[in-house]
Amino acid sequence: SPTTSNGGDTLTYAAFSGTSMASPHVAGVAALIWSHHPTKSAAEIRLALECSAVMPQQYGNVVRNNDVGYGVVNAKNALDMLDSNNFDGCPGTAPTTAPTPFSCSPNEDLLEIRIKTDQYPTETGWTLTNTCSGTVVANTPEGTYNTGNTVYSDAVCVPTGGAYSFLITDSFGDGICCSYGEGFYNV
């Protein structure tokens, strides 16, 4: 890695190791691979990088170990693997893919509820009620949120054309803003 000294006047090179040095290189190779295969999922790109990595000779034929992980990233091997769509012999399986976007049925509307908790998140809860029938459509009880000053998002499908009431609660009674954080909500 290039390093400088004397206020940038001297350029030298130094050897560093570890995940802090490897991560940017792997991210760059992943971006390169994805630019050649933009329709592939993140899971497929990751699997190609993992399966095509080259293990340094001093570690033998061990495919994965606690010293060097999957080995040294190899862009050409990963590209070849994706070009041929051949993952035979891969030691692992693709990681779980990201969930599909939340969607409702054709006769429902998507309602998103976003809440940023204050410093005492377990005090916050909410209820969504159908105002015509009085039926609770969805709720998050107090005690559900457990990380302070965090934005939580909940998606709820509701019948199209309905009327609903949203009630946010704070068990301590001091609200979610301002003495103990900058909480908010929007529906």
Side-chain angles (χ1 to χ4, degrees):
S1 293
T3 62
T4 61
S5 59
N6 299 330
D9 291 336
T10 306
L11 177 65
T12 59
Y13 289 90
F16 297 101
S17 64
T19 56
S20 295
M21 295 291 102
S23 297
H25 296 282
V26 174
V29 172
L32 172 71
I33 302 303
W34 215 336
S35 73
H36 286 267
H37 291 277
T39 61
K40 296 292 187 183
S41 70
E44 290 171 305
I45 299 295
R46 179 177 173 179
L47 182 63
L49 291 174
E50 290 174 355
C51 290
S52 64
V54 177
M55 186 58 63
Q57 189 173 8
Q58 67 264 33
Y59 296 102
N61 284 333
V62 177
V63 176
R64 184 179 191 287
N65 66 53
N66 290 331
D67 293 318
V68 294
Y70 288 92
V72 178
V73 67
N74 187 306
K76 182 178 181 330
N77 288 356
L79 277 172
D80 290 346
M81 183 173 278
L82 288 167
D83 286 341
S84 67
N85 204 31
N86 181 357
F87 292 86
D88 293 343
C90 285
T93 58
T96 305
T97 57
T100 56
F102 192 86
S103 62
C104 300
S105 68
N107 60 346
E108 293 179 315
D109 290 325
L110 177 62
L111 186 70
E112 182 181 11
I113 299 165
R114 293 182 63 230
I115 295 179
K116 180 179 179 187
T117 58
D118 62 8
Q119 294 174 14
Y120 301 96
T122 58
E123 297 174 354
T124 305
W126 59 265
T127 303
L128 182 68
T129 306
N130 181 314
T131 56
C132 296
S133 66
T135 305
V136 172
V137 177
N139 76 315
T140 295
E142 293 166 353
T144 301
Y145 302 130
N146 55 20
T147 305
N149 300 310
T150 299
V151 177
Y152 291 89
S153 180
D154 293 291
V156 179
C157 293
V158 295
T160 301
Y164 302 93
S165 170
F166 177 78
L167 174 68
I168 188 167
T169 56
D170 179 274
S171 62
F172 192 75
D174 60 352
I176 59 173
C177 179
C178 293
S179 298
Y180 300 104
E182 296 295 320
F184 66 82
Y185 75 93
N186 56 45
V187 180

